[in-house]
Amino acid sequence: MTTTRPVPRSGPLVVAALVAVGAAIGVGELVAALVSPAASPFLAVGQAAIRLTPEWLKETAIAWFGTFDKVALLVGMVVVIGGLTALAGLASRRDERPGLVLVVGMGLLSLAAVVTAPTFAPLDLVPSGVAVVVGAGVWRWLRPVALAPSAAGGVLSRRRFLTTAGGTALGAVAAGTVGRVLGAGGASPAGVDLPAPATVAVPPAVGADFVADGTPPWLTPVADFYRIDTALSVPRIAVGDWSLRVHGMVDREVTLDFDRLRGMRLIEAPVTLTCVSNEVGGSLISNGIWLGVPVADVLALAGVRPGAQQIASTSADGWTCTTPLGPLTDGRAAMLAIGLDGQALPIEHGFPVRMVVPGLYGYVSACKWITDVEVTTYDGVISYWEQRGWGRFGPIKTQSRIDVPRDGATVPAGRAVAAGVAWAQHTGVVAVELSVDGGPWRTAQLAAEPTVDAWRMWRLPLDLAPGPHRLQVRATDRSGEVQTAVEALSIPDGATGWHTVSVTAV
Ligand SMILES: Nc1nc2c(c(=O)[nH]1)N[C@H]1C(S)=C(S)[C@@H](COP(=O)(O)O)O[C@H]1N2
Ligand SMILES: [Mo]
């Protein structure tokens, strides 16, 4: 008499594989929180993907997902890992090796991601190492339970599998959650004391916007401030753990802790930040009032040697930018900022210390979570984005935007108002003009200009005949330069062209 072996059910195998991989990720998260917060195996892989993403793909991702590009990456990772894991589970009916290969393969991938991170330290290997061992162990233990013959005592074995797998899954989720919570601890802007600045460069911003006509408020609410960075999980640095090392072409190396920095001469100034990736008409621009220590004062402590040309700033997570010494030492409000709009910096905007330089795009100046400044030459350090094809220098280009009416809007014929913003940080905007259907340029009314380091709002009543119309805007800066009509992509050093919207008057 022959007995046929029961065909193993695929469901439990897939579940077993998913639980094993989930346990690896969850425990990896927990171990990372305990020994090396930046070395979470899951996030390290995502972070490596960000580093390796070719420029065209990054631009496509930003075009598709905007500032949700990181969420999209994480969701994509979950889908890919889940899919591969399910396949490996299915392939493991007769043999545990496909599942093992998957777990070990993912472990090697995360080790590679961790080792190639700019902030790599040997301890960072531990979370991925533990994750592989846990993942492989859970797989080797759960797979036989998943395959337990369903003939005799089938209900029992199914129940045993469900409780075992379910319990392990719960444990994995708990480990991962505890890991995330622990990893988030320590750093908090709440309760950080900000001394009063010696220089309050903040004239009352009265009449600086036309919110009633549809411009953004002159001062961007902190919660609405655009956010751009390469950090999949933001560095969380407790004030007591922070220090800044100033070295390179200096007379004496200096290391400042937070209290020392906070005790130096503080200035407060509005500065409008802009991202080089901002497209014509885009929203990657925001205005804040920053509190900080002039970069020049910190450089003076160290003493810049002759021949130095720029500084290279590095963040806690290993991102770098380079900034020419000129704009850092010519008296403008270039600062190591510790405050934004009267509060300590929000974590995602660089807590506890970041750099802010009026007139330069963020990628060449606005280093968040800054921990290291090297005084060097232009060729001494090539920054993160310069390595990826972006320009070495990133002065902000004179630009303007139509906020109202929106593209595609229907407006009342005869009595609409157009309004928006223009910017030429540290130079200032002296005129904004609007052209309807390619006709003559009409001069817009400008709002007050509390500082040349911030954007400037404009408005212009329109008298449109019924029908479709095309509105175009251009700004003129204080150097006399009229915003160019030439359309350029944001790479390598900032988009140009006139923002154009199409509307229908009825
Ligand atoms: N550490 C770190 N700092 C960074 C970045 C980054 O990726 N990492 N991105 C820069 C870029 S490209 C911009 S536009 C600004 C944005 O600052 P915000 O997010 O506070 O608006 O931060 C800059 N500072
Ligand atoms: Mo940027």
Side-chain angles (χ1 to χ4, degrees):
M1 199 176 144
T2 52
T3 53
T4 48
R5 274 171 70 192
V7 179
R9 290 160 302 156
S10 326
L13 269 178
V14 169
V15 171
L18 288 172
V19 170
V21 167
I25 292 174
V27 171
E29 204 61 42
L30 178 61
V31 175
L34 297 175
V35 303
S36 177
S40 139
F42 183 73
L43 294 178
V45 170
Q47 201 64 65
I50 291 178
R51 285 197 301 278
L52 295 175
T53 300
E55 202 43 53
W56 61 267
L57 187 58
K58 191 210 92 188
E59 292 294 298
T60 312
I62 289 187
W64 284 3
F65 304 113
T67 44
F68 289 105
D69 53 344
K70 293 187 185 97
V71 179
L73 172 65
L74 293 175
V75 170
M77 281 175 63
V78 169
V79 169
V80 170
I81 292 174
L84 289 176
T85 304
L87 287 178
L90 285 176
S92 302
R93 295 180 186 202
R94 308 259 172 255
D95 190 327
E96 67 176 9
R97 276 176 295 186
L100 270 187
V101 167
L102 177 89
V103 169
V104 173
M106 291 201 325
L108 290 177
L109 194 69
S110 70
L111 284 172
V114 161
V115 170
T116 54
T119 53
F120 171 68
L123 212 53
D124 297 352
L125 297 171
V126 174
S128 295
V130 174
V132 177
V133 173
V134 167
V138 169
W139 170 242
R140 299 197 64 184
W141 170 64
L142 260 189
R143 181 176 169 275
V145 187
L147 293 179
S150 51
V155 177
L156 251 191
S157 72
R158 192 174 319 135
R159 186 173 302 155
R160 179 165 164 244
F161 175 70
L162 287 178
T163 40
T164 321
T168 313
L170 274 182
V173 171
T177 310
V178 172
R180 293 308 303 154
V181 172
L182 284 182
S188 168
V192 173
D193 261 0
L194 298 182
T199 320
V200 185
V202 193
V206 178
D209 51 37
F210 296 118
V211 169
D213 293 311
T215 69
W218 182 76
L219 189 62
T220 308
V222 173
D224 297 344
F225 209 101
Y226 84 93
R227 176 190 163 197
I228 289 286
D229 54 62
T230 60
L232 203 42
S233 81
V234 295
R236 291 167 189 276
I237 313 163
V239 159
D241 294 338
W242 180 85
S243 68
L244 177 73
R245 179 171 168 241
V246 184
H247 61 110
M249 297 172 70
V250 295
D251 295 331
R252 58 210 154 259
E253 204 175 302
V254 173
T255 300
L256 299 173
D257 63 13
F258 191 78
D259 281 336
R260 173 116 186 259
L261 184 75
R262 184 167 51 183
M264 292 175 68
R265 179 176 71 99
L266 289 166
I267 58 169
E268 189 169 54
V271 177
T272 297
L273 295 193
T274 312
C275 183
V276 69
S277 296
N278 193 41
E279 295 184 350
V280 173
S283 57
L284 300 179
I285 175 166
S286 301
N287 187 39
I289 296 175
W290 306 91
L291 172 76
V293 175
V295 177
D297 290 5
V298 172
L299 291 177
L301 279 183
V304 172
R305 289 237 178 103
Q309 294 170 309
Q310 65 172 2
I311 65 168
S313 307
T314 307
S315 64
D317 59 343
W319 182 85
T320 55
C321 69
T322 53
T323 317
L325 284 170
L328 296 173
T329 53
D330 66 0
R332 74 180 75 185
M335 63 175 105
L336 288 166
I338 59 173
L340 170 60
D341 298 349
Q343 307 281 316
L345 291 182
I347 291 182
E348 59 280 13
H349 293 294
F351 179 80
V353 184
R354 76 171 307 169
M355 200 156 79
V356 169
V357 183
L360 302 184
Y361 286 123
Y363 84 107
V364 288
S365 64
C367 189
K368 305 192 270 191
W369 317 292
I370 189 170
T371 57
D372 189 286
V373 165
E374 179 182 352
V375 180
T376 180
T377 58
Y378 289 138
D379 293 331
V381 175
I382 307 296
S383 72
Y384 182 95
W385 285 116
E386 194 183 343
Q387 287 169 28
R388 287 160 177 79
W390 293 78
R392 172 168 295 174
F393 306 111
I396 295 176
K397 294 178 177 174
T398 299
Q399 268 290 332
S400 52
R401 183 178 83 192
I402 302 171
D403 286 77
V404 169
R406 301 229 160 255
D407 193 40
T410 301
V411 299
R415 50 185 176 83
V417 174
V421 300
W423 58 92
Q425 287 93 320
H426 203 60
T427 306
V429 169
V430 292
V432 171
E433 298 165 291
L434 204 74
S435 159
V436 178
D437 302 323
W441 291 99
R442 294 181 49 206
T443 304
Q445 179 190 349
L446 292 177
E449 187 185 43
T451 163
V452 294
D453 291 340
W455 55 9
R456 194 162 190 190
M457 310 287 161
W458 60 268
R459 72 186 290 277
L460 183 69
L462 298 172
D463 184 4
L464 299 175
H469 297 283
R470 199 169 53 99
L471 312 181
Q472 284 189 303
V473 69
R474 71 177 190 192
T476 300
D477 65 34
R478 195 160 274 115
S479 77
E481 193 185 313
V482 181
Q483 181 188 329
T484 177
V486 176
E487 292 181 8
L489 296 176
S490 52
I491 193 166
D493 57 10
T496 61
W498 293 333
H499 187 210
T500 305
V501 301
S502 298
V503 299
T504 307
V506 290

